[in-house]
């Protein structure tokens, strides 16, 4: 059955079935539960689109809940960025902003309840010992020597753990389940640890903290989440979440797992992304090469393109890797409709139009977006000295090169036809530094009254009127499709792409861009989509290349070799 969004998948199938049988009286409530220990990435966007999208499809609600059980790694900086990114993606939790830390007292009381029921005990094994006792996938674990403490002793010790009588790591509270369970998560998992760390919300009120596994399911239950959607790695935690809920006799959400998003040529774990930031491999979480939401935003991605991408990749039960080219495709599709076309020259070559009067400037009409007439027109100034792209000239043009060459005629976009009459070279390096051309005054706007055919059209800017700008070109952060695929003992960072950022300090953009503000997006004709970077200042413009247009010439040239 198709939903409001037009999407259908196995999760929506489950919800349809629950609604048919009246399981929750048609109520649908989901949540997005980030740990505030890093910035959100494109994988989180998949989960956000899924949770908020499902709520919207079924007239339901989606909560935002911070699963903030690990004070040593969490920070308000992350909380704030996560909220900003979700809003930017176009979703809203209204008044349903929750924190697992708001449930600390309730969780504590439930822990006491489990102790009283003989289902939890205080264990004096240290972390290493707990690990040794746990066993392996092929061997059962061993019972802790503290497993059979009396309820009274457990209650006393747990109260004193909370009161701060014991050293960090010296004791834990563990669920009493089954040390021989084939599921390692069921082998008396730790529920509480002693940790003197200041929490970003509860400060120093607690010196014991609940584990993620003891917190997550009950938080869902407290919020009466009907469908608790998470990624596949939690599949074998589900029996534990269900165990807590059942032993406590509280509302039971249904957990549904889906495959996480993996993209090639990047890494997507917060731990790794944090490492890239901390060790200075990128300029920050919002470095335009990062797969973070704020990085993509700074790079020039639109929320619409990301939402569209998340809808297209769908949800499945098995892991796969999505080609980054699909994300870029979704972006081009969106920007093609909405980005103004402008002209910019990234690697300038000076062109003097010998028969155009010095000091004269002519304003030529240019269309802002051929895909959308409502975006109107603007004028671009034409003058005696211009810049064109170095690539658009070849002294010795190969076959199928239809741009400028000695004696050749080419069309200037929105301008005139020009013919190259001579070439000036640097006497020492032999590098072409300037071209001399003539223009045909009868060809204004690019037409040829005599009907002669001119194949090539190139972009250009007026040298006197152009604004200078810095342009940053990006390539993938890693050189290999799966950066994590390294031999034992080799760090994935060996796969970092040393050429992922190329900064061109002296580019020229048409004067209409003088007032462009950070976040503004454009298509630089023939070059790609670009946006104004947050480093940009009115007198020192900085653009990011968001994504290139497909380069047909590169393909032809490759085919020739
Ligand atoms: P990471 O593994 O990248 O550090 P995480 O799973 O620890 O991420 P959380 O803050 O726990 O990050 O994630 C919040 C939600 O986003 C969880 O429900 C998680 O399952 C989901 N999520 C995280 N990464 C992805 C991904 N790559 N694809 C889809 N969903 C994801
Ligand atoms: Mg997690």
């Amino acid at each position: 059955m198709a939903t409001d969004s037009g999407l259908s998948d196995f999760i929506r199938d489950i919800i349809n079935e629950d609604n048919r049988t009246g399981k929750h009286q048609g109520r649908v409530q989901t949540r997005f539960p980030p740990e505030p220990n890093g910035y959100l990435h494109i994988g989180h966007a998949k989960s956000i689109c899924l949770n908020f999208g499902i709520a919207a499809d079924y007239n339901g609600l989606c909560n935002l809940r911070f699963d903030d059980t690990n004070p040593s790694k969490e920070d308000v900086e992350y909380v704030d960025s996560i909220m900003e990114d979700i809003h930017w993606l176009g979703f809203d939790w209204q008044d349903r902003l929750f924190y697992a830390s708001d449930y600390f007292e309730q969780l504590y009381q439930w822990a006491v309840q489990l102790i009283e029921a003989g289902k939890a005990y205080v264990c004096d094994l240290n972390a290493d010992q707990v690990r040794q006792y746990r066993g392996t996938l092929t061997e059962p674990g061993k019972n802790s020597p503290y497993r059979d403490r009396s309820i009274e002793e457990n209650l006393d010790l747990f109260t004193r753990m909370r009161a701060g009588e014991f050293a960090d790591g010296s004791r834990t509270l563990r669920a009493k389940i089954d040390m021989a369970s084939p599921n390692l998560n069921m082998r008396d998992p730790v529920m509480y640890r002693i940790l003197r760390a200041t929490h970003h919300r509860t400060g120093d009120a607690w010196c014991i903290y609940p584990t993620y596994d003891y917190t997550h399911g009950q938080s869902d239950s407290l919020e009466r989440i009907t469908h608790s959607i998470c990624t596949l790695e939690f599949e074998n935690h589900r029996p534990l979440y269900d165990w807590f809920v059942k032993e406590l006799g509280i509302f039971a959400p249904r957990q549904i797992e889906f495959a996480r998003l993996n993209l090639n040529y990047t890494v997507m774990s917060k731990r790794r992304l944090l490492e890239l930031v901390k060790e200075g491999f990128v300029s920050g979480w919002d470095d335009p090469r990062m797969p973070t939401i704020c990085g993509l935003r700074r790079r020039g991605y639109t929320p619409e393109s990301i939402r569209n991408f998340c809808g297209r990749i769908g949800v499945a039960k098995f892991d796969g890797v999505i080609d980054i080219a699909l994300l870029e495709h979704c972006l081009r599709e969106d920007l093609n409709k909405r980005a103004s076309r402008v002209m910019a020259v990234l690697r300038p070559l000076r062109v003097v139009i010998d028969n155009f009067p010095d000091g004269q400037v002519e304003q030529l009409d240019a269309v802002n977006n051929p895909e959308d007439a409502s975006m109107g027109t603007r004028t671009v100034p034409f003058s005696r000295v211009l810049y064109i792209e170095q690539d658009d000239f070849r002294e010795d043009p190969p076959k199928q090169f239809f741009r400028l060459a000695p004696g050749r005629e080419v069309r200037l976009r929105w301008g005139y036809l020009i013919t190259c009459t001579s070439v000036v070279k640097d006497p020492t390096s032999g590098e072409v530094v300037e071209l001399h051309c003539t223009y045909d005054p009868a060809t204004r706007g690019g037409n040829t009254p005599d009907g002669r055919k001119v194949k090539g059209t190139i972009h250009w800017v007026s040298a006197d009127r152009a604004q200078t700008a810095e342009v940053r070109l990006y390539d993938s952060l890693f050189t290999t499709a799966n950066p994590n695929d390294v031999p034992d003992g080799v760090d994935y960072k060996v796969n970092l792409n040393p050429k992922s950022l190329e900064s061109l300090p002296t580019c020229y953009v048409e004067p209409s861009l003088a007032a462009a503000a950070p976040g503004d997006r454009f298509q630089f004709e023939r070059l790609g989509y670009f946006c104004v970077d947050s480093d940009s200042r009115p007198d020192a413009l900085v653009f990011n290349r968001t994504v290139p247009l497909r380069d047909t010439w590169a393909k032809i040239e490759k085919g020739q070799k």
Side-chain angles (χ1 to χ4, degrees):
M1 190 185 91
T3 50
D4 278 3
S5 61
L7 297 173
S8 93
D9 49 59
F10 79 95
I11 300 179
R12 285 169 168 92
D13 288 345
I14 291 173
I15 296 173
N16 291 339
E17 181 60 13
D18 285 347
N19 285 349
R20 198 185 61 76
T21 60
K23 185 169 175 195
H24 300 285
Q25 296 80 45
R27 193 174 67 85
V28 173
Q29 187 143 8
T30 57
R31 83 288 171 265
F32 175 65
E35 287 181 65
N37 60 354
Y39 282 65
L40 297 182
H41 52 59
I42 180 82
H44 293 112
K46 175 176 177 177
S47 175
I48 292 167
C49 289
L50 192 58
N51 280 293
F52 282 94
I54 282 180
D57 270 357
Y58 293 93
N59 243 320
L61 299 170
C62 180
N63 298 354
L64 170 60
R65 181 179 70 243
F66 288 101
D67 271 344
D68 52 352
T69 56
N70 193 354
S72 51
K73 290 197 172 145
E74 295 162 4
D75 199 279
V76 275
E77 175 195 350
Y78 301 134
V79 170
D80 294 343
S81 77
I82 288 169
M83 294 200 276
E84 182 186 356
D85 289 350
I86 298 172
H87 274 150
W88 179 77
L89 280 172
F91 300 104
D92 188 27
W93 52 89
Q94 296 157 314
D95 57 350
R96 294 176 312 284
L97 168 61
F98 301 110
Y99 294 86
S101 54
D102 290 343
Y103 310 140
F104 280 176
E105 185 60 40
Q106 173 68 77
L107 290 164
Y108 179 84
Q109 295 305 331
W110 277 335
V112 169
Q113 188 182 323
L114 290 174
I115 295 172
E116 286 169 343
K119 301 286 181 180
Y121 63 95
V122 173
C123 178
D124 301 358
L125 297 180
N126 63 30
D128 273 345
Q129 293 166 323
V130 167
R131 215 167 297 126
Q132 283 162 20
Y133 275 74
R134 188 181 294 134
T136 63
L137 281 172
T138 49
E139 285 165 61
K142 281 188 304 194
N143 283 354
S144 160
Y146 306 98
R147 199 174 197 261
D148 294 319
R149 273 182 164 147
S150 70
I151 290 174
E152 292 65 37
E153 190 182 4
N154 281 320
L155 284 173
D156 173 60
L157 288 172
F158 190 49
T159 309
R160 289 163 60 196
M161 274 170 67
R162 178 179 185 169
E165 284 189 29
F166 308 121
D168 282 12
S170 62
R171 289 192 159 92
T172 56
L173 182 74
R174 298 177 66 180
K176 197 172 185 174
I177 309 180
D178 178 8
M179 287 308 292
S181 170
N183 182 341
L184 268 65
N185 293 308
M186 301 299 273
R187 295 186 186 170
D188 292 9
V190 171
M191 294 164 57
Y192 273 88
R193 59 220 195 276
I194 305 173
L195 179 67
R196 281 165 182 83
T198 304
H199 188 280
H200 61 104
R201 299 198 78 234
T202 58
D204 296 318
W206 295 88
C207 65
I208 55 171
Y209 287 97
T211 57
Y212 182 89
D213 275 352
Y214 175 63
T215 307
H216 189 79
Q218 286 92 290
S219 301
D220 280 347
S221 175
L222 279 166
E223 293 173 20
R224 304 194 85 71
I225 300 303
T226 54
H227 300 87
S228 171
I229 301 165
C230 64
T231 36
L232 284 176
E233 71 270 24
F234 292 103
E235 192 163 18
N236 57 16
H237 295 238
R238 177 167 18 102
L240 177 58
Y241 300 168
D242 289 348
W243 186 88
F244 284 128
V245 160
K246 184 168 145 281
E247 294 301 330
L248 292 167
I250 55 178
F251 175 82
R254 169 164 181 182
Q255 176 169 305
I256 306 168
E257 305 87 14
F258 70 97
R260 58 198 296 125
L261 167 66
N262 297 302
L263 271 185
N264 57 9
Y265 295 100
T266 192
V267 292
M268 208 115 76
S269 100
K270 280 185 280 190
R271 193 170 50 83
R272 299 229 144 138
L273 296 174
L274 178 65
E275 194 178 323
L276 295 176
V277 172
K278 281 211 165 143
E279 294 176 18
F281 292 100
V282 294
S283 64
W285 286 96
D286 70 344
D287 186 298
R289 292 166 292 180
M290 291 279 271
T292 50
I293 306 293
C294 56
L296 294 168
R297 174 165 66 232
R298 184 167 170 191
R299 175 84 168 249
Y301 272 78
T302 61
E304 290 83 357
S305 63
I306 296 176
R307 293 203 304 264
N308 185 266
F309 169 76
C310 291
R312 275 200 216 190
I313 56 176
V315 281
K317 265 288 191 195
F318 43 87
D319 279 313
V321 181
I322 303 288
D323 197 322
I324 184 96
L326 178 61
L327 180 61
E328 294 180 345
H329 173 77
C330 293
L331 179 64
R332 284 194 193 95
E333 213 174 56
D334 188 30
L335 292 177
N336 182 42
K337 286 180 282 177
R338 61 162 92 206
S340 289
R341 274 58 169 168
V342 293
M343 292 197 287
V345 172
L346 304 192
R347 293 179 171 88
L349 174 59
R350 216 174 119 88
V351 173
V352 181
I353 312 291
D354 289 319
N355 60 341
F356 194 87
D358 204 5
Q360 187 173 315
V361 174
E362 227 180 274
Q363 296 293 339
L364 302 168
D365 289 322
V367 171
N368 289 335
N369 188 346
E371 301 283 321
D372 181 0
S374 75
M375 288 175 71
T377 60
R378 68 188 187 287
T379 57
V380 286
F382 184 83
S383 58
R384 180 179 163 91
V385 182
L386 313 173
Y387 291 116
I388 65 166
E389 217 62 67
Q390 288 167 16
D391 264 5
D392 283 336
F393 173 80
R394 289 281 180 97
E395 211 181 357
D396 190 10
K399 242 173 102 182
Q400 292 194 63
F401 183 87
F402 300 116
R403 309 174 202 175
L404 205 56
R408 284 264 194 100
E409 188 173 43
V410 80
R411 179 181 298 102
L412 295 178
R413 180 75 159 151
W414 310 117
Y416 292 97
L417 270 58
I418 60 168
T419 302
C420 178
T421 52
S422 64
V423 177
V424 180
K425 291 185 187 175
D426 181 299
T428 43
S429 69
E431 188 196 349
V432 175
V433 292
E434 185 176 287
L435 304 179
H436 283 263
C437 295
T438 56
Y439 86 115
D440 177 353
T443 59
R444 186 181 163 128
N447 307 305
T448 49
D450 62 0
R452 69 182 186 272
K453 294 269 179 286
V454 174
K455 253 195 158 166
T457 300
I458 64 174
H459 60 275
W460 55 279
V461 294
S462 154
D464 337 329
R465 296 299 170 98
Q467 293 278 323
T468 55
E470 176 189 340
V471 175
R472 297 174 185 165
L473 306 179
Y474 301 101
D475 197 352
S476 59
L477 198 47
F478 292 91
T479 52
T480 49
N482 179 4
N484 292 321
D485 184 16
V486 279
D488 271 353
V490 176
D491 191 284
Y492 72 99
K493 293 197 289 305
V494 299
N495 291 322
L496 275 164
N497 179 1
K499 296 194 182 115
S500 58
L501 167 63
E502 182 184 7
S503 176
L504 304 173
T506 320
C507 306
Y508 295 97
V509 300
E510 63 171 68
S512 73
L513 290 180
D520 288 354
R521 305 182 183 95
F522 302 92
Q523 184 192 99
F524 288 180
E525 293 219 32
R526 300 176 63 233
L527 297 175
Y529 294 99
F530 292 73
C531 79
V532 182
D533 188 74
S534 49
D535 286 345
S536 193
R537 299 290 169 265
D539 54 347
L541 295 171
V542 181
F543 289 88
N544 294 317
R545 184 173 66 191
T546 308
V547 65
L549 299 173
R550 257 168 241 100
D551 186 353
T552 44
W553 170 248
K555 267 191 214 140
I556 293 170
E557 193 159 51
K558 232 181 176 172
Q560 283 176 345
K561 272 180 194 156

